[in-house]
Amino acid sequence: MVADWWGLAGGTNPYLVLLSDLLLIPISHYLLAFLAISAVFVYRFLEFHFLHDLLTGFRGCSVALTYHSSSLIYHDVVSKCRVLHSRYLVTPWLSSPHLQTVFLSISGRAPPFNYRRELFYLLSDGGTIALDWLMNSDVLGSNIDRTSAIPEDNVTPIVLAIPGLTSDSESPYIKHLAFNTAQKGWNVVVTNHRGLGGVSITSDCFYNAGWTEDLRAVINHLHHEYPKAPLYVVGMSIGANILVKYLGEDGDSVPVAGAVAICSPWDLLIGDRFISRRLLQKIYDRALAIGLQGQKRKVSVLRLDQGHQPIYSRLANWEGIKKSRSIRDFDHHATRLVGKFEAL
């Protein structure tokens, strides 16, 4: 019965019959099936939403706003911003957030301009921060001496930009922000995190997502030097997290006329879990870790030619830093030890 079950008694194996039938199918059909399966995989893997946009007639989606019903800022400002109450539609051929990231990194050329550099020394611990200025006169073609300082009684609004985790004033998105803002007639200053912007670390303190002392010192410095100029602050990514934390700590006493937080992680614990959840997120995690290590970046918190290694070797686990494959690894071997945190 076993032989009959397998079709061996009659000399016919059903698997061989199936194989012979499959061989009758043209190779082109297999190729088409493979391409279709691959397309579905890539579509889901890269989180495309082109089909959804197509089925909804490319109408986009409404912008979701979270605010307090009695907020004066909402009623006096946000409610009057038409762009926040319109619909958002992504460029159809860039209907994937990951494709947008790759596209901007390849084609997002930064405007060609040079900053005016100011070195700001933190007397509290001996740290040094590079403040890179772009004046409205620098991009509007005014015949003003680029070496001249801003008058103390200048009333032109100042925008302070805080870059992300491994970014500095030379990052394309920061240069786009600075250039476009200066074109509107405002002065822009980018505060580089410690160790970034080509400036060596001069103390035992380093920046992290919860360190607000540097931002507080820079804002107080700008307000003291230019008391008549309205000061606005824009933070991106980790810079946004630092900004929001600073605003919450100092409350109404901050000398800031307005602030914008762009892509803030908000909850770093949830963000850490998310970035290590799937393969694609792990690629971002690894890329950021490489940025922190400085293995493939021109500017980094670990640039050996800036003398960072001796400081990190003394205060942290240098060998662990070099072997870090994620942000959590880097935080464990560097941020935790330098900041004297029990855990992160």
Side-chain angles (χ1 to χ4, degrees):
M1 291 184 63
V2 174
D4 290 340
W5 174 261
W6 287 98
L8 298 178
T12 303
N13 189 319
Y15 290 99
L16 294 177
V17 174
L18 178 60
L19 179 60
S20 63
D21 291 341
L22 291 175
L23 292 176
L24 295 175
I25 301 176
I27 297 297
S28 59
H29 292 193
Y30 285 108
L31 181 60
L32 289 175
F34 173 77
L35 293 177
I37 295 173
S38 299
V40 172
F41 173 79
V42 172
Y43 187 90
R44 295 179 61 86
F45 184 73
L46 296 180
E47 301 178 77
F48 278 94
H49 47 80
F50 176 79
L51 293 179
H52 177 269
D53 295 340
L54 178 63
L55 294 175
T56 55
F58 293 103
R59 293 186 299 107
C61 59
S62 58
V63 178
L65 299 176
T66 302
Y67 60 92
H68 196 282
S69 58
S70 61
S71 170
L72 294 178
I73 294 179
Y74 175 80
H75 291 290
D76 295 343
V77 181
V78 179
S79 63
K80 297 178 174 60
C81 294
R82 295 180 57 186
V83 67
L84 294 179
H85 299 275
S86 59
R87 302 182 69 84
Y88 171 74
L89 175 63
V90 71
T91 304
W93 52 275
L94 286 176
S95 57
S96 163
H98 312 292
L99 194 60
Q100 294 170 22
T101 300
V102 173
F103 177 79
L104 288 176
S105 64
I106 296 175
S107 63
R109 294 184 179 180
F113 65 83
N114 295 318
Y115 292 103
R116 307 183 188 190
R117 169 148 293 188
E118 172 190 354
L119 291 180
F120 176 57
Y121 300 98
L122 297 155
L123 299 179
S124 59
D125 60 73
T128 306
I129 294 176
L131 300 178
D132 288 331
W133 288 85
L134 181 65
M135 319 302 294
N136 64 78
S137 57
D138 297 337
V139 300
L140 295 179
S142 301
N143 296 322
I144 298 178
D145 184 8
R146 287 181 55 85
T147 61
S148 62
I150 304 177
E152 290 187 5
D153 59 350
N154 191 288
V155 296
T156 303
I158 298 174
V159 175
L160 173 65
I162 314 170
L165 182 61
T166 58
S167 302
D168 65 0
S169 58
E170 291 297 325
S171 299
Y173 73 93
I174 294 292
K175 297 197 74 172
H176 277 289
L177 172 67
F179 186 80
N180 292 331
T181 304
Q183 277 190 319
K184 302 297 183 182
W186 295 25
N187 294 327
V188 183
V189 56
V190 182
T191 174
N192 294 281
H193 300 297
R194 297 192 188 209
L196 295 182
V199 177
S200 298
I201 294 177
T202 58
S203 73
D204 290 352
C205 293
F206 305 98
Y207 79 94
N208 59 63
W211 181 258
T212 58
E213 291 303 318
D214 289 354
L215 176 60
R216 182 176 293 105
V218 169
I219 288 178
N220 290 338
H221 164 71
L222 295 175
H223 179 64
H224 178 266
E225 293 294 321
Y226 315 105
K228 297 183 179 181
L231 178 60
Y232 298 86
V233 189
V234 180
M236 281 70 66
S237 189
I238 289 297
N241 191 88
I242 296 173
L243 170 60
V244 172
K245 187 172 185 289
Y246 158 74
L247 295 175
E249 290 173 347
D250 288 26
D252 295 336
S253 63
V254 297
V256 174
V260 179
I262 303 175
C263 296
S264 175
W266 297 113
D267 192 317
L268 296 176
L269 180 59
I270 294 178
D272 176 72
R273 292 173 179 173
F274 177 81
I275 204 170
S276 59
R277 184 183 61 173
R278 299 170 56 188
L279 175 60
L280 198 56
Q281 278 76 33
K282 290 181 180 180
I283 295 176
Y284 287 109
D285 194 12
R286 177 59 178 151
L288 288 172
I290 292 175
L292 288 168
Q293 291 169 320
Q295 295 175 351
K296 298 182 180 179
R297 291 180 59 86
K298 181 175 68 175
V299 180
S300 170
V301 296
L302 297 184
R303 279 188 57 181
L304 303 186
D305 59 336
Q306 292 180 0
H308 295 2
Q309 180 177 356
I311 299 177
Y312 267 93
S313 298
R314 176 168 53 87
L315 299 176
N317 180 0
W318 179 254
E319 291 302 319
I321 291 173
K322 292 194 296 183
K323 296 177 182 178
S324 296
R325 299 186 61 84
S326 66
I327 298 176
R328 175 164 285 277
D329 290 343
F330 182 89
D331 284 342
H332 177 75
H333 296 296
T335 308
R336 179 180 63 86
L337 298 177
V338 174
K340 297 180 175 59
F341 301 116
E342 291 185 5
L344 289 175

